[in-house]
Amino acid sequence: MNNELFLIGAATAGHQVEGNNTGSDIWAMEQMKYGGYPEKSLDAADHYNRYKEDIKLLKDAGLNAYRFSFEWARIEPKEGDFCQKEMQHYLDMVRFCKDNGIEPVITLHHFASPKWLIEKGGWESEIAIEAFERYTKYIAQNLASEDIHYICTINEANMGNLISIFIRQAIEQRKKLDGESSSMQIGLNLDEMRKEEEGKISENLEVFGCENPAVFVSPRTQKGNEIIMKAHQAAVKVLHDMLPDVKAGLSLSLRDVQATAGGEERAAKDWHDEFEEFLPAIIDDDFVGVQNYTRARFGACGELSPEEGAELTQMGYEFYPEGLENVIRKVHEAFKGEILVTENGVATDDDTRRVEFIKRAFEGVKECIADGIPVKAYMYWSLLDNFEWQSGYSMKFGLIGFDRKTMERTVKDSLYSLGRICESYQINV
Ligand code: GCO
């Protein structure tokens, strides 16, 4: 079913909504003094126990698809030791979707990894390729009798690359500033910083057995990018061999990169780092998942801040729903397979702005489809307010809110408005 329908749904990621993903690297970092997570995920939205209620809300509002992730750390808590009970949990979720006429779009890896993988070298080690392949095989065996159409191997495979570029730019910026003055006139306590660095190293050694744990969301080397691409390709092969009806791909975080006068070269370089670098490894995939939240404008001196007076989201991004259409068009110039919008959304406390964001973003999707671009799905990020990684629970992306004490859900108007879009836009593709 549903393969002929245009999919309109919402997305979540296990670690951000389930709660108590205790075997994962991110959970471990949340407990650390220098782990970079000021707030802990704890019970999150307790989606692990309440997924039925949440999927029912999505269905009742009129949506027809749900993208969610399997948590590798639960399914393979020790290396090579798979937990059938946890696998069954995800199979139950898949069946619950199916029974309710909701198309499940499964992500195999969404940022969190098993802690043991990081202890063995993580995403900078070839071990990750073999481990991810073995995990994918186990999943494929278990999904053999399910009617699944789309599996996303790795969420935002380009994230580590983007993080390392961002850090490099920040250092260059710092150097420029320092170069301009004869002494560093800034109230930093270098002694304190050094102590903190030492503390971080010894804590990493204690928790992960290495000084710089290569978690998925840490800066990536060129070799690390290649490892991620190889892991993805190995997983796609497994899926094609074992589940021939499944379409496989990965997702990328893609800003709408724009150049103002003089910024053409920098904009082109940025698009290369976000997208083109990964193209050779995905060119033959069935689909690519596009994840867009805003635009990035470049001038002769680099990235520009949003214009004076521009509306900003809670994340500090420019409110710019038109970015999605531009990104889809740019991706399609180079990638001829299907395009799924696997994430698009806005963090705001004002749900009327979310309704507006979705409406305008979806207008762009319709234009792309009208021009023959094979866009097959639009998934809003996110179904639920959730644990936004290092920003904790303060960012409100959800179509559904929840009370952190009682876990009681509050459906926002934006869920119904997306449901109405879905009902009025059932085209055959
Ligand atoms: C990401 C993730 C999500 C985020 C979302 C909002 O891509 O970063 O897929 O986990 O929560 O993008 O920032």
Side-chain angles (χ1 to χ4, degrees), residues 277-297:
E277 177 162 355
F278 299 90
L279 190 58
I282 64 166
I283 195 83
D284 294 325
D285 287 356
D286 304 307
F287 72 86
V288 63
V290 163
Q291 312 202 158
N292 168 261
Y293 290 86
T294 191
R295 68 171 166 178
R297 294 176 318 126

Side-chain angles (χ1 to χ4, degrees), residues 4 16 29 39 181 199 205 259 277 281 293 342 405 419:
E4 280 77 46
Q16 295 179 272
M29 290 165 84
E39 198 175 354
S181 56
L205 281 168
E277 177 162 355
Y293 290 86
T342 38
K405 282 206 190 86

Side-chain angles (χ1 to χ4, degrees), residues 314 346-349 354 380 385 393-398 412:
Q314 285 179 328
V346 59
T348 176
D349 260 335
R354 190 179 341 273
Y380 176 80
D385 284 340
Y393 287 99
S394 55
M395 300 293 137
K396 308 293 184 200
F397 278 97
K412 303 181 193 176

Side-chain angles (χ1 to χ4, degrees), residues 58-306:
L58 170 144
K59 172 204 160 100
D60 291 347
L63 280 61
N64 64 17
Y66 180 39
R67 172 181 177 232
F68 59 98
S69 73
F70 289 3
E71 276 305 319
W72 185 0
R74 291 189 197 277
I75 294 174
E76 193 182 356
K78 289 200 196 105
E79 190 183 1
D81 202 352
F82 291 93
C83 177
Q84 196 57 41
K85 186 172 154 277
E86 293 292 351
M87 185 67 238
Q88 190 56 48
H89 169 81
Y90 291 110
L91 291 175
D92 292 347
M93 279 182 87
V94 166
R95 287 189 197 145
F96 190 77
C97 286
K98 289 277 174 190
D99 291 348
N100 281 280
I102 301 298
E103 178 71 24
V105 175
I106 297 165
T107 304
L108 298 182
H109 183 275
H110 194 127
F111 289 177
S113 309
K115 181 167 174 274
W116 58 256
L117 181 73
I118 310 308
E119 289 163 355
K120 302 202 77 175
W123 291 97
E124 290 288 336
S125 159
E126 305 265 340
I127 282 168
I129 305 170
E130 205 183 296
F132 191 62
E133 184 180 19
R134 187 182 54 213
Y135 161 65
T136 306
K137 267 190 195 147
Y138 178 76
I139 302 285
Q141 274 158 14
N142 279 279
L143 288 176
S145 53
E146 308 298 329
D147 185 25
I148 301 293
H149 297 118
Y150 289 107
I151 296 184
C152 172
T153 58
I154 297 177
N155 177 70
E156 295 192 348
N158 57 348
M159 188 41 76
N161 205 36
L162 299 182
I163 293 172
S164 57
I165 289 159
F166 179 76
I167 292 176
R168 214 164 41 234
Q169 280 169 354
I171 292 172
E172 271 165 24
Q173 196 66 17
R174 182 72 258 152
K175 272 194 201 144
K176 259 194 239 154
L177 290 178
D178 293 347
E180 279 164 13
S181 56
S182 53
S183 64
M184 215 171 79
Q185 300 193 62
I186 181 168
L188 292 179
N189 184 336
L190 295 180
D191 252 8
E192 223 19 73
M193 279 168 77
R194 190 179 42 75
K195 265 193 235 143
E196 191 164 317
E197 203 40 46
E198 286 168 5
K200 199 169 168 180
I201 288 174
S202 74
E203 196 181 34
N204 280 335
L205 281 168
E206 201 181 300
V207 177
F208 291 106
C210 56
E211 290 187 7
N212 288 309
V215 300
F216 194 82
V217 284
S218 50
R220 216 36 3 101
T221 63
Q222 184 59 35
K223 182 180 161 223
N225 276 335
E226 282 160 22
I227 285 169
I228 288 174
M229 286 305 104
K230 283 189 191 153
H232 162 68
Q233 287 175 317
V236 169
K237 181 159 186 335
V238 167
L239 295 172
H240 282 163
D241 288 351
M242 297 177 66
L243 304 171
D245 294 333
V246 160
K247 292 182 178 167
L250 51 63
S251 76
L252 297 171
S253 171
L254 299 170
R255 302 181 298 175
D256 174 17
V257 176
Q258 301 180 359
T260 62
E264 293 79 4
E265 217 172 286
R266 283 174 186 267
K269 165 92 176 72
D270 188 85
W271 183 246
H272 172 85
D273 296 337
E274 297 201 21
F275 179 65
E276 288 162 353
E277 177 162 355
F278 299 90
L279 190 58
I282 64 166
I283 195 83
D284 294 325
D285 287 356
D286 304 307
F287 72 86
V288 63
V290 163
Q291 312 202 158
N292 168 261
Y293 290 86
T294 191
R295 68 171 166 178
R297 294 176 318 126
F298 287 83
C301 299
E303 192 171 338
L304 305 170
S305 306

